[in-house]
Amino acid sequence: MRELPLAGEQRCPFGPPPEYAELRATGGVTRVACPTGLDAWLVTRYADVREVLGDPRRFSNRPGTAAHILAGYAGDGPGEGDFSRMDGAEHLRFRRHMAPEVSNMRRIAQLRPLVQRIVDARLDALAQTAPPVDLYASFARPVTTGVIAELLSVPEPDRPLFQHAAEALFAGASSADDVAAALKPLLEYLYGMVVTRRAEPGEDVLSRMIVRSDQTDRPFTDNELIAMSAGLLIAGYDTTASMIGHGVLALLQHPDELARLRERPELAAGAAEELVRYLGVGAGLLREVVADTEIAGQPVRAGDLVVVAIQSANRDEALYADGDRLDVGRAPGPHVGFGHGPHQCVGQQLARLELTAVLATLPRRVPSLRLAVPFDDIRFKTRTAVLGPVAVPVAWDEVLPALEDGL
């Protein structure tokens, strides 16, 4: 049995470790030992990854996204409201309730001016700051924090609560106890929000979810509403922020592609899709085999764990012959950067909106953006569910003003 090749290492900062190409060529399904001591089947080919993610009758999401890298994972079942680890109708009940706020295209169109204002405001703040600065901490995180906090009407002084919770959840060294401790004050805060919004609903996402819930035959409990809100806050905070930091760093290392975006901001939506494909939002997803079956001819038994390698699938030669090349003009294709099947990212349209706004605005307003340190000095997250650099120190000569149309 081989060790699970870890994504996000310095030797392969923008893609899966080189071993994955060999694994795809030699069968695509391999028994591996995960960092926490769990054994699992590693699935590396695009078609096989889609098969596993798309068939909840054979492969359950019960273990959760990051159990294979989270120290202390005990395999317990989902708690009340832990919808990300549910399957079937129960998971769909939560997903359908959240989707109108973060997935509906009409809703996304309504949010576009808000996202653009936040992006421009953060660039205005950079213009008042002397470089170098960490683009991840000073731009990417404030953008994504600002968007999700505005949607839930979380006041500025209270936002560190979910920032700390997200950092603990996605830190590679965190144990299950560490995560629980970090989440406790956040969940207590959200409980107060639920009570307040039940009494006096506003126009925010949580208020609308409460009002819609009370109009159904099976209203959501306070704990279920808290869980949905926490999921939006935490996932919306770090996952997209990491993709922004990772994506800008990749573009800085591909200056011709960055120049294309600067000259043609209309490429931004396709570039966002390409960066998600090229980088992958996360290293891998975990599933549990529900019944004896097989993957690409490899027998697997009920109770076995399966790690699907998202980055590897998106670089599969069967999907793109030049999958290792970053091309911001590439026609969008069926990658699995946001997952696939019933558990694909419910907030992916909001993430696309944020990424597109950043990619259409940042290259134009900061044309001289550059790394402030040698690339080899950049450190990358390892043993964590969310990939990306720890920090992106940058410098610039001038930040140009925003245009009237926001671009």
Side-chain angles (χ1 to χ4, degrees):
M1 182 183 304
R2 66 188 300 165
E3 295 291 323
L4 175 69
L6 293 177
E9 295 181 334
Q10 190 74 35
R11 64 195 175 113
C12 45
F14 299 128
E19 296 95 315
Y20 281 89
E22 174 191 347
L23 292 174
R24 290 195 303 268
T26 57
V29 181
T30 309
R31 193 71 170 162
V32 294
C34 300
T36 52
L38 297 172
D39 295 337
W41 294 102
L42 176 64
V43 180
T44 55
R45 290 176 175 171
Y46 173 77
D48 302 329
V49 164
R50 280 178 59 95
E51 177 185 347
V52 171
L53 295 179
D55 191 349
R57 296 169 300 176
R58 298 159 59 207
F59 305 100
S60 170
N61 199 53
R62 177 180 172 275
T65 299
H68 58 302
I69 53 177
L70 179 63
Y73 169 70
D76 297 329
E80 183 181 6
D82 193 1
F83 62 93
S84 66
R85 296 175 60 195
M86 297 175 182
D87 293 306
E90 197 61 14
H91 171 256
L92 191 59
R93 171 175 171 255
F94 284 86
R95 187 180 183 88
R96 283 178 171 169
H97 200 70
M98 297 170 65
E101 305 301 336
V102 292
S103 297
N104 181 276
M105 295 311 295
R106 180 180 298 177
R107 176 64 173 154
I108 293 299
Q110 293 171 346
L111 295 175
R112 187 168 287 111
L114 167 67
V115 172
Q116 188 63 54
R117 283 197 303 272
I118 291 172
V119 170
D120 278 320
R122 292 314 308 171
L123 290 175
D124 291 342
L126 284 186
Q128 303 303 314
T129 306
V133 302
D134 175 10
L135 193 77
Y136 176 52
S138 298
F139 176 73
R141 278 182 168 176
V143 164
T144 57
T145 297
V147 171
I148 203 68
E150 287 289 335
L151 292 183
L152 285 163
S153 291
V154 177
E156 185 79 34
D158 297 340
R159 294 176 186 180
L161 272 174
F162 66 83
Q163 293 172 356
H164 296 326
E167 288 162 5
L169 185 63
F170 292 116
S174 292
S175 69
D177 289 341
D178 292 335
V179 172
L183 287 176
K184 186 174 185 294
L186 172 66
L187 298 180
E188 291 172 348
Y189 177 81
L190 290 175
Y191 173 74
M193 284 182 61
V194 169
V195 171
T196 301
R197 306 293 163 80
R198 276 198 188 280
E200 297 182 24
E203 295 301 320
D204 57 280
V205 166
L206 178 56
S207 293
R208 287 198 293 269
M209 288 199 299
I210 290 172
V211 171
R212 286 203 315 276
S213 168
D214 290 343
Q215 296 171 348
T216 66
D217 295 333
R218 187 185 169 191
F220 287 91
T221 67
D222 286 351
N223 284 341
E224 290 173 334
L225 288 163
I226 290 168
M228 283 189 279
S229 300
L232 286 173
L233 281 168
I234 295 171
Y237 163 71
D238 194 72
T239 308
T240 308
S242 292
M243 175 53 67
I244 290 172
H246 209 182
V248 172
L249 180 62
L251 288 168
L252 289 172
Q253 291 301 107
H254 294 79
D256 290 345
E257 296 303 296
L258 180 58
R260 291 175 72 190
L261 270 179
R262 186 182 304 117
E263 296 161 6
R264 298 182 58 194
E266 70 273 13
L267 293 177
E273 207 71 31
E274 170 70 349
L275 283 169
V276 172
R277 180 205 68 82
Y278 182 75
L279 299 171
V281 175
L285 301 173
L286 192 67
R287 296 292 186 265
E288 181 179 319
V289 180
V290 174
D292 291 355
T293 184
E294 63 177 42
I295 307 170
Q298 171 63 56
V300 294
R301 295 185 176 278
D304 285 356
L305 296 176
V306 178
V307 177
V308 293
I310 297 299
Q311 280 191 318
S312 175
N314 284 340
R315 300 293 186 96
D316 191 338
E317 297 80 0
L319 181 62
Y320 293 108
D322 62 344
D324 287 329
R325 182 172 68 91
L326 177 63
D327 178 3
V328 298
R330 188 189 300 274
H335 63 78
V336 289
F338 288 114
H340 174 67
H343 280 278
Q344 64 183 288
C345 176
V346 69
Q348 60 184 282
Q349 299 302 342
L350 181 59
R352 286 185 171 100
L353 174 61
E354 295 177 42
L355 285 167
T356 299
V358 167
L359 294 174
T361 308
L362 180 63
R364 190 207 66 81
R365 290 198 58 187
V366 196
S368 56
L369 188 71
R370 58 190 179 273
L371 280 180
V373 299
F375 179 76
D376 288 344
D377 289 350
I378 302 292
R379 293 186 300 115
F380 292 85
K381 303 173 188 177
T382 59
R383 299 197 178 194
T384 177
V386 178
L387 301 175
V390 174
V392 186
V394 295
W396 60 87
D397 299 324
E398 182 184 14
V399 176
L400 301 178
L403 300 178
E404 289 187 4
D405 63 2
L407 297 179

